């Protein structure tokens, strides 16, 4: 019951607003915000819902293909649902302030409702096809929201890029689903798949088991997560997605949607655990993403971009954790606990709060500085916007992993998983990333908030209105306390059991914190411009440029060539050549009708002779 | 009443009209035409009520004259086409008289009656002598008809070409008859069939005779490679005569071909395989040689001539498919069916052409431009006619083609089928080209065309016939079904 | 002894000559005469076949009846044909086959 | 007398009435609206009676042997396509404004032909009704197409010759099938009888494959199966709006319908014969990949839409190549979905051309600012054709893909499966060109001088109708699937 309210309320809200926003006008905003609040309340009840797996609505039911809208209620979905509806509600409220002067407010809120609907769908999805459906729909809402200011060319390009990059991921996701669909006799229900992998026809000792298949399926599914969670090499869309309004960045491109990839990977962890190779690759990709993104973040000057790369990096962390946990499980390191826990999900949970807050904080800053986003044009905001500063600072240290804030616990869990995976590289890279995280976040805080205002807009900045401050404050509280049992238990966070004896991990994370923060303070205190300049990082390892070349060569140039070939050969051989032959024959046969009587008599006589010759001499010889 | 009496009466009427014109020169052509039309119509009515079996004939006629369903059908067919041609002549008279001596048209009303009698006779022929005589009656009359508009250089040229080539084919035909007689020792179709089924008969002589005979007949039905005269003669001849040639003369040729082939391809015939192969080759070639040169035609009349050749190809292919146990119609029946559906299409097409001429317009495709604006009804009727000629379904033209395709596929003659398909595909081009011209906006500034009520109704009936036969061919099949039984019994 | 073969050879030669004449000659009158020759060839063949095809010891006269028809028809053809050729001559002042080439294509 | 006969006759009679002088708009809107209602009622009635077998049957013999009859009857597949036809026909007719009567007449003829093809059960009439649309399509493109006279005539010729030749090949295939499956001595064109015979005495697979291939070539050229597709894109890009809507949306589905209704049941094993399947897979990959790239290369909206419509046929063919129940039903759903979405897009495209005079991407931009409703409607079409869940196309595509995988054994990938993977890449490509189009036309800043405003509400109705159909059947594809419970 609650599940259907949570799912359908935003759907109808979105439908109503998107189709009738002209008529609704201001009411559209109320509908959207109202529905988000009601969903949140319903979600509080949902937290207490029993584990369940039931069909909500039919969709396609033909033969083996039984793809309905069915909900899978367990700890993971309850916890995730809370994050989504809670942050969703706060972002709705924040947007009331942030988008106050926007002409297209109804459209914005409509798309936001659409997003809430689709994200809820992903969270509740009980089978992979349903998950794919909502997977695509979050892509759509993300597209609409990034392109909210479509008049700006950069926004228009960014939303297109986001959608297309995600499409590439979905390409793999769908293949993965199809492989599982075929192999498991048409059943892609998550519960049933898990059973099939543990004791069903897909278990490793079953007859006809194919390790290659399992790896392929796992990697294909993973490709979906690569797209959605912006992992290397499909990470390029996320920084550009910052073209959308900042609340959107907070909700979609930091806290929830991009985390959907991780959520989904944890959902299919049975599959990843079944394939050592896939687990290693996943961990490796996560690790590379975390590290690369952190490196890129150190040289960004746009406040939202820093946060975006940070998000990338943290998502990489989570994905690495997924892989690492699976690797650990393959080595027999299964943490025994009554309650299911997962470092990736736990990090997702804490990260959602502080990263959403950071984004909203940056939103408040941008709002205050009249849409100035360059941190070097800010400075000294601490005095003008104290609440924003303090919440931002809390978020920063939480992200850096300062004990005992929530980020510390989850980061330690992730590093612990990397440590347990048995791969030193993962652990070292993870630690290095932690160093860099501390470094760039401290840099951000120092440059944007401390020191003196460097421009007029920073000078005249004033604190944001209440509707924007309030969500910040609430999120700040969660950033601090969410990792403690007092919150994490009722909120059904998948906190992994704390394993004693991980001294190395603890030290590593603390040292990383100190080194990174110290380095940043040393380098950036009181600076008016960036003392470090590393082109490679600033230009994001030239990924965009490389991809531009690939697209130009592999797509546009290829399209040009193929179009030419199609016109010349296909059209030429199949259509124009026969047409030309027939036309030539027509002209030739027409020559027979020259109008000369002698020619006709000749042909007639010749015809007679030919016919007689044929009938009397040739045909009898042929035998039939 | 005996059918023979009707034929004799019709011939008499033709002669009387000829004499009346000669001795009473001031008689109006309208009177003459209406008399001829009335006579033909009466004959048609009488035919329905006449005695319909061979036994009703005088016994001396029975060896060379028969009255099976096929014969009766073709007799009716001949009367209908003659009726239409006479009416068409009347319609085109004001234009035609400009090219005739003294503006007289008498022969144009009397000779068609003679031709009609010849065709009716041919339908009943049981031996080669009768065939020859009836055929020549038709052919010689046509020499006159084709060249009738003597003041027109085109008509005269067509007449000369038809005369020379027709006479040449007559020679070949007779020579073929001679050799068939030599090989089989008989002139009657029954006897020939019997002799050919006898392995002792000389195969080479029979083959030689049959080939020559088929060449001669091939000329009449415009089979390739004896089709060269068709475009020139059709284009040059007065439009009613062209329609008559295209439908009547061709039908007459095919009825003889049907009879002859029934004999040649009889069960156990020593020359069956060769003749059948020849028919397939000639049929395919005809369909192609009719269709391909038409692609570049600019004269609609000439286009219809090529179309007529192409249709002859399909008909030959239908004849090549013998013994289709799977449908009720024999190949002869299919040919009759095809010709019956072909009649309204062609006549409607030539009617349109004649009306264009009567309104002082040309016969080129460009003259058709904007017809839809000038006279929407005529454009629609012509569209129906041309679509049907192209073989579009839901029109009569399609059913016949379907039968041909069915027969070819049933026998596994895939090569011939491919040729037929190519020819039909090319056909789409030139028929649609004419249709397109009628609807273009160019030429819409020309004056509107007006049609008399009689014209409208005749054309309307023809168009309706095309459509009705296209969706409800059952009655026609009913008429023809006993015919096929009669053929099968033989 | 003159056999059927002799008749047929002669008839064949006549026919071939006629055909050759039709194809080769340019004067329509001569062409027309060659056509008559072809008909004669056919007649000769018919008569020959008839003579050597004995029914009850007598030649079979069906073929010879056709010969009479052929001769008649040939006469009719000539009558009509010459009329047309004369008309042609009147309008073109020529009886050359090349004078009728307007209709083509 | 069956209600289906009325449904078929209505548009044809309306066309005749207009020719005779009836008010064109009123007559055609009335007829098409009434038709939509009738089809909806029939559909509801059909799904009410357990959706089993053929319904509303009635037969009028027109020839004894070979036995032909004007036999009507509908099962779920026919009804879905009839629904598509009436929907598109109503929208197409509605959006015609201030054009000569021939626009109405030809729309009605094309629609009526399609209805006849979908609702009759005699192979003869199925074939015949399709051909009925040939002349109106030809004339409309040649006379009222959107290019200079020489070019539009060339395009019309190409399409007509292609369609004509294709239908002749098809005729050969049908004739062959009729001969093989008539059984006994009597020839019959009755589809049910042929199907019964096919189940009683199935042909050897090798022979089935031969017949199927001929039918595939015939039907395929009508559906623009690669490499017989080169007529389609220029024809749709050039055709006047209602013709483009009806032909690409409805009439083109005839070939697919024929394959599913005639070829597949008669020759069930044919697609599983290796060479046939491989050939079909190659050809449909041509549609998807080659035409996908060609579409990406297009730089005008009409070109993009026309080529995309060719490309998307590949997916439906994939459903046929897979040949399983799920895939075939998916193919039917996709036929419906594609018909509605492409008709919507062509309709909007025509409007744009009328208002703006150009469809070139580099001359357009920022249209969303002044025409929000138009933009939303276009987005429905565009995202439907991308295969966004919630719009009908997705349901069809996912069923086709899933249907291709029902026989999958872990670790063994057949050609079919590889094709599915490549086809999935095509989905990415379609997103590329559609979003590029959307971006260039609606996003960005408005180009000077070129801007359009939303159509009046009454003029939006046809497009809203189509968009709503996409949404409703997209969210509830079971509405359509319920109709096909016993089909296939």
């Amino acid at each position: 019951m609650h599940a259907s309210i949570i799912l359908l309320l935003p759907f109808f809200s979105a439908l109503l607003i998107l189709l009738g926003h002209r008529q609704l006008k201001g009411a559209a905003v109320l509908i959207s915000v109202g529905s988000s609040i009601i969903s949140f309340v319903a979600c509080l009840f949902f937290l207490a819902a029993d584990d369940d797996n039931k069909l909500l609505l039919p969709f396609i039911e033909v033969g083996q293909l039984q793809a309905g809208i069915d909900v899978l209620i367990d700890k993971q979905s309850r916890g995730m649902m809370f994050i989504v509806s809670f942050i969703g509600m706060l972002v709705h409220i924040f947007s009331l302030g942030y988008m106050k002067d926007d002409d297209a407010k109804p459209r914005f809120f409509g798309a936001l409702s659409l997003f809430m609907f689709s994200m809820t769908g992903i969270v509740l999805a009980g089978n992979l096809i349903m998950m794919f459906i909502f997977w695509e729909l979050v892509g759509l809402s993300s597209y609409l929201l990034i392109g909210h200011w479509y008049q700006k060319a950069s926004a228009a390009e960014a939303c297109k890029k986001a959608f297309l990059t995600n499409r590439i991921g979905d390409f793999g996701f769908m293949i993965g689903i199809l492989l599982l669909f075929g192999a498991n006799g048409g059943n892609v229900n998550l519960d049933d798949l898990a059973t099939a992998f543990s004791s069903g026809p897909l278990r490793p000792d079953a007859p006809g088991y194919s390790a290659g298949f399992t790896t392929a399926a796992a990697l294909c599914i993973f490709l979906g997560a690569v797209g959605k969670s912006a992992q290397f090499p499909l990470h390029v869309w996320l920084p550009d997605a910052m073209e959308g309004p900042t609340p959107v960045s907070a909700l979609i491109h930091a806290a929830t949607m991009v985390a959907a990839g991780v959520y989904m990977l944890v959902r299919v962890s049975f599959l990843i655990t079944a394939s050592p190779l896939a687990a290693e690759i996943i961990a490796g990709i996560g690790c590379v993403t975390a590290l690369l993104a952190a490196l890129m973040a150190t040289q960004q000057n746009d406040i939202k971009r820093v946060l975006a790369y940070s998000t990338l990096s943290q998502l990489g962390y989570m994905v690495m954790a997924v892989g690492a946990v699976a690797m650990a499980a393959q080595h027999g390191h299964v943490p025994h606990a009554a309650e299911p826990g997962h470092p990736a999900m736990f990090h997702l949970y804490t990260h959602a709060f502080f990263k959403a807050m950071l984004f909203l904080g940056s939103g408040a800053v941008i709002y205050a500085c009249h849409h100035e986003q360059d941190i070097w044009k800010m400075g000294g905001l601490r005095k003008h916007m104290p609440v924003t500063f303090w919440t931002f600072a809390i978020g920063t240290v939480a992200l850096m992993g300062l004990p005992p804030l929530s980020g510390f616990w989850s980061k330690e869990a992730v590093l612990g998983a990397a440590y347990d995976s048995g791969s030193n590289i993962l652990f070292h890279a993870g630690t290095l990333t932690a160093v860099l995280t501390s470094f760039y976040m401290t840099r951000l805080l120092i440059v944007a908030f401390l020191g003196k205002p460097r421009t007029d807009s920073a000078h005249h900045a004033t604190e944001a209105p209440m509707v924007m401050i309030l969500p910040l404050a609430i999120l700040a509280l969660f950033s601090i306390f969410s990792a403690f049992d007092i919150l994490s238990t009722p909120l059904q966070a998948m906190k992994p059991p704390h394993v004693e004896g991980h001294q190395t991990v603890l030290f590593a994370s603390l040292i990383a914190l100190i080194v990174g923060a110290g380095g940043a303070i040393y380098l950036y205190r009181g600076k008016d411009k960036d003392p470090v300049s590393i082109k490679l990082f600033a230009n994001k390892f030239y990924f965009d440029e490389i991809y531009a070349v690939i697209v130009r060569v592999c797509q546009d140039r290829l399209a040009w060539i193929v179009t030419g070939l199609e016109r010349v050969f296909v059209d030429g051989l199949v259509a124009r050549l026969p047409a030309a032959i027939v036309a030539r024959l027509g002209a030739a046969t027409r020559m027979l009708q020259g109008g000369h009587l002698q020619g006709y008599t000749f042909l007639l006589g010749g015809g007679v002779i030919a016919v007689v010759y044929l009938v009397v001499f040739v045909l009898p010889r042929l035998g039939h | 009443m005996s059918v023979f009496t009707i034929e004799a009466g019709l011939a008499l009427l033709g002669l009387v009209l000829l004499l009346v014109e000669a001795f009473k020169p001031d008689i109006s052509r309208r009177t003459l035409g209406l008399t001829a039309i009335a006579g033909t119509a009466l004959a048609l009515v009488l035919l329905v009520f006449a005695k319909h079996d061979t036994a009703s004939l005088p016994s001396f006629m029975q060896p060379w004259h028969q009255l099976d369903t096929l014969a009766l059908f073709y007799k009716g067919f001949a009367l209908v086409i003659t009726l239409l041609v006479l009416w068409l002549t009347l319609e085109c008279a004001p234009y035609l008289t400009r090219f005739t001596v003294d503006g007289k048209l008498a022969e144009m009303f009397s000779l068609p009656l003679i031709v009609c009698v010849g065709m009716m006779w041919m339908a009943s022929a049981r031996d080669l002598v009768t065939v020859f005589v009836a055929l020549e009656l038709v052919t010689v009359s046509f020499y006159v008809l084709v060249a009738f508009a003597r003041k027109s250089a085109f008509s005269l040229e067509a007449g000369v070409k038809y005369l020379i080539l027709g006479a040449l084919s007559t020679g070949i035909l007779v020579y073929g008859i001679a050799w068939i007689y030599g090989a089989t020792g008989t002139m009657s179709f029954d006897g020939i069939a019997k002799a050919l089924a006898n392995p002792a008969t000389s195969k080479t002589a029979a083959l030689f005779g049959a080939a020559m005979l088929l060449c001669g007949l091939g000329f009449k039905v415009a089979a390739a490679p004896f089709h060269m005269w068709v475009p020139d003669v059709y284009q040059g001849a007065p439009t009613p005569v062209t329609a008559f040639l295209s439908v009547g003369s061709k039908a007459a040729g095919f009825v003889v071909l049907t009879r002859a082939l029934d004999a040649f391809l009889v069960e156990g015939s020593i020359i069956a395989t060769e003749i059948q192969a020849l028919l397939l080759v000639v049929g395919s070639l005809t369909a192609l040689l009719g269709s391909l040169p038409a692609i570049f035609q600019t004269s609609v009349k000439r286009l219809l001539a090529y179309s007529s050749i192409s249709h002859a190809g399909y008909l030959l292919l239908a004849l090549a498919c013998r013994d289709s146990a799977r449908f009720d119609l024999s190949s002869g029946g299919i040919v009759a069916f095809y010709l019956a559906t072909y009649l309204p299409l062609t006549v409607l097409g030539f009617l349109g052409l004649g009306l264009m001429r009567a309104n002082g317009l040309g016969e080129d495709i460009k003259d058709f431009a904007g017809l839809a604006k000038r006279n929407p009804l005529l454009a629609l009727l012509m569209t129906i006619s041309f679509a049907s000629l192209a073989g579009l379904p839901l029109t009569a033209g399609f059913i016949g083609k379907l039968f041909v395709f069915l027969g070819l596929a049933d026998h596994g003659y895939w090569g011939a089928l491919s040729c037929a398909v190519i020819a039909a595909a090319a056909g789409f081009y030139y028929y649609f080209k004419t249709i397109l011209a009628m609807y273009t906006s160019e030429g819409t500034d020309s004056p509107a065309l007006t049609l008399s009520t009689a014209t409208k109704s005749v054309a309307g009936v023809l168009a309706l016939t095309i459509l009705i036969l296209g969706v409800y061919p059952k009655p026609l099949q009913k008429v023809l079904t006993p015919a096929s039984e009669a053929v099968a019994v033989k | 002894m003159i056999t059927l073969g002799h008749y047929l050879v002669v008839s064949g030669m006549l026919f071939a000559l006629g055909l050759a004449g039709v194809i080769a000659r340019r004067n329509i009158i001569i062409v027309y005469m060659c056509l008559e020759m072809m008909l004669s060839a056919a007649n000769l063949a018919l008569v020959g076949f008839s003579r050597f095809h004995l029914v009850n010891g007598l030649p079979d006269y069906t073929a010879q009846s056709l010969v009479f028809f052929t001769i008649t028809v040939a006469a009719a053809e000539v009558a009509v044909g010459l009329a047309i050729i004369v008309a042609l001559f009147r309008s073109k002042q020529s009886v050359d086959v090349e004078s009728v080439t307007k209709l083509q294509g | 007398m069956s209600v289906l006969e009325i449904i078929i006759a209505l548009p044809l009679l309306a066309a005749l009435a207009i020719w005779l002088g009836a008010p064109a708009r009123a007559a055609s809107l009335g007829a098409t609206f009434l038709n939509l209602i009738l089809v909806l009622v029939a559909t509801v009635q059909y799904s009410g009676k357990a959706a089993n077998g053929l319904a509303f049957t009635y037969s009028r013999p027109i020839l004894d042997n070979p036995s032909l009859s004007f036999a009507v009857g509908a099962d779920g597949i026919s009804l879905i396509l009839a629904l598509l036809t009436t929907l598109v026909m109503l929208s197409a007719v509605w959006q015609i404004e201030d054009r000569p009567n021939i626009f109405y007449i030809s729309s009605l003829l094309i629609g009526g032909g399609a209805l006849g093809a979908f609702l009759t059960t005699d192979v003869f009439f199925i074939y015949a009704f399709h051909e009925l649309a040939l002349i109106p399509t030809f004339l409309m493109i040649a006379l009222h197409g959107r290019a200079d006279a020489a070019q539009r005539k060339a395009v019309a010729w190409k399409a007509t010759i292609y369609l004509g030749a294709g239908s002749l090949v098809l005729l050969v295939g049908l004739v062959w099938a009729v001969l093989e499956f008539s059984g006994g001595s009597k020839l019959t064109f009755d589809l049910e009888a042929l199907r019964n015979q096919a189940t009683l005495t199935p042909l050897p697979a090798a022979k089935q494959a031969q017949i199927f291939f001929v039918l595939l070539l015939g039907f395929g050229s009508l559906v623009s199966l690669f490499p017989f597709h080169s007529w389609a894109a220029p024809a749709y890009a050039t055709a006047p709006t209602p013709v483009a809507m009806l032909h690409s949306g409805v009439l083109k589905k005839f070939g697919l319908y024929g394959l599913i209704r005639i070829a597949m049941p008669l020759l069930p094993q044919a697609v599983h014969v290796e060479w046939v399947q491989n050939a079909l897979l190659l050809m449909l990959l041509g549609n998807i990949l080659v035409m996908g790239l060609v579409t990406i290369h297009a730089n005008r909206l009409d070109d993009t839409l026309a080529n995309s419509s060719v490309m998307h046929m590949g997916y439906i063919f994939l459903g046929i190549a897979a040949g399983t129940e799920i895939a075939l039903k998916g193919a039917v759903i996709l036929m419906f979905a594609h018909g509605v979405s492409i008709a919507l897009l062509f309709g909007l495209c025509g409007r744009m051309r009328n208002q703006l005079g150009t469809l070139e991407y580099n001359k357009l931009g920022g249209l969303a600012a002044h025409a929000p409703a138009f933009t939303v409607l276009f987005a429905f079409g565009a995202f439907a054709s991308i295969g966004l869940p919630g719009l009908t196309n997705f349901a069809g595509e996912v069923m086709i893909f899933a249907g291709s995988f029902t026989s999958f054994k872990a670790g063994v990938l057949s050609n079919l499966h590889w094709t599915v993977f490549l086809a999935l890449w095509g989905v990415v490509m379609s997103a590329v060109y559609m979003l590029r189009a959307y971006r260039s036309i609606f996003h960005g800043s408005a180009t000077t001088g070129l801007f359009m405003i939303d159509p009046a509400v009454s003029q939006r109705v046809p497009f809203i109708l189509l968009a709503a159909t996409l949404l409703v059947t997209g969210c509830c594809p079971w509405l359509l699937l319920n109709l096909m419970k016993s089909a296939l």
Side-chain angles (χ1 to χ4, degrees), chain A residues 563 567, chain D residues 145-148 151-152 155 232-240 291-309 342 345-346 348-350 352-353 356-365 378 432-442 450:
Chain A
T563 307
R567 293 218 177 116
Chain D
R146 316 267 194 169
D148 58 274
Q151 197 189 336
R152 66 181 185 232
V155 168
Y236 295 153
T238 314
M291 289 316 286
L293 284 168
V294 171
T295 317
I296 287 177
H297 186 70
N299 52 16
R300 286 205 337 249
L301 180 62
D302 50 356
D303 278 351
T304 304
L305 294 183
N307 281 308
S308 87
S309 145
I342 200 74
L345 288 172
F346 269 125
L348 296 169
C349 170
M352 277 173 66
R353 180 157 26 193
L356 300 172
T358 180
L359 289 171
E360 276 173 50
Y361 292 146
N362 54 21
K363 290 189 183 154
L364 297 169
F378 192 93
V432 170
Y433 59 71
M434 269 301 172
L435 290 188
R436 183 179 278 186
Y438 193 77
R439 152 85 183 84
S440 330
I441 297 171
F442 296 105
L450 283 177

Side-chain angles (χ1 to χ4, degrees), chain A residues 15-355:
Chain A
L15 204 62
L16 208 59
I17 297 170
L18 287 177
L19 295 183
H21 65 72
R22 280 279 184 78
Q23 289 72 28
L24 287 169
K25 301 213 168 71
V29 178
L30 291 182
I31 292 173
S32 177
V33 175
S35 87
S36 77
I37 293 174
I38 298 173
S39 296
F40 175 66
V41 174
C43 196
L44 289 179
F45 287 101
F46 181 70
L47 277 174
D50 296 327
D51 282 7
D52 199 359
N53 186 358
K54 64 173 183 235
L55 181 71
L56 212 57
L57 291 169
F59 187 63
I60 299 173
E61 286 166 349
V62 186
Q64 289 174 303
L65 180 61
Q66 300 287 332
I69 304 297
D70 47 1
V71 291
L72 176 58
I73 302 174
D74 61 358
K75 187 173 180 183
Q76 197 188 349
S77 60
R78 284 190 298 259
M80 189 72 187
M81 203 55 248
F82 173 78
I83 301 172
V84 170
S85 66
F86 178 57
I87 296 179
M89 177 185 72
L90 293 178
V91 165
H92 270 83
I93 293 170
F94 183 89
S95 306
L96 281 177
Y98 192 85
M99 302 298 287
K100 200 173 63 198
D101 303 325
D102 197 290
D103 290 339
K105 212 161 35 175
R107 178 157 55 84
F108 175 80
F109 277 97
L112 218 48
S113 283
L114 179 63
F115 170 75
M116 292 302 287
F117 162 64
S118 348
M119 192 62 212
T120 308
I122 293 188
V123 175
L124 295 178
N127 66 59
L128 284 174
I129 291 183
M130 170 173 171
M131 188 174 273
F132 184 85
I133 290 172
F134 290 102
W135 197 259
E136 291 272 304
L137 286 178
V138 288
L140 172 70
S141 37
S142 154
Y143 174 82
L144 294 175
L145 287 166
I146 298 171
H148 182 70
W149 291 311
Y150 57 81
Q151 295 91 340
K152 267 201 317 192
S154 55
E157 289 299 330
C159 64
K160 196 176 86 176
K161 185 173 180 180
F163 195 92
L164 292 180
T165 317
N166 269 298
R167 258 291 151 112
I168 296 175
D170 297 348
F171 162 70
F173 192 15
M174 190 74 211
I175 292 181
I177 294 175
L178 288 175
L179 288 173
L180 291 176
F181 175 90
N184 196 32
N187 191 336
V188 285
N189 201 305
L190 285 162
D191 272 353
D192 300 337
L193 275 175
T195 320
F197 271 93
S198 61
S199 53
L202 297 174
R203 67 184 191 280
D205 50 354
Y209 174 79
S210 158
F213 158 75
T214 313
T215 304
L219 287 179
C220 284
I221 298 258
F222 173 59
L223 190 54
V226 169
K228 197 59 77 192
S229 291
Q231 296 298 295
F232 168 83
L234 297 182
H235 61 278
V236 287
W237 66 271
L238 186 54
D240 288 8
M242 298 302 140
E243 290 292 340
T246 307
V248 170
S249 312
L251 176 61
I252 301 185
H253 304 120
T256 54
M257 184 189 86
V258 287
V262 177
Y263 177 83
M264 184 267 281
L265 286 179
V266 176
R267 271 277 187 238
V268 297
S269 50
F270 53 84
L271 179 62
I272 299 164
T273 313
S275 165
L277 180 59
E280 277 174 29
I281 292 175
I282 290 170
I285 294 275
C287 181
V288 168
T289 311
L291 200 53
L292 285 182
L295 287 171
M296 295 184 223
T298 58
Q299 283 286 300
Q300 300 301 317
N301 297 328
D302 181 323
I303 184 167
K304 283 181 75 181
R305 287 202 173 240
V306 177
L307 293 176
Y309 282 104
S310 159
T311 307
L312 274 182
S313 173
Q314 297 304 309
L315 289 168
Y317 245 50
M318 297 175 210
V319 169
M320 180 179 80
V322 171
V325 167
M327 285 163 71
Q330 285 150 8
H331 299 152
H333 287 280
V334 183
H336 295 286
E339 281 286 285
H342 200 291
M345 279 306 291
F346 187 50
H347 194 52
L348 190 163
Y349 160 81
T350 61
H351 175 258
F353 299 119
F354 56 69
K355 190 48 75 56

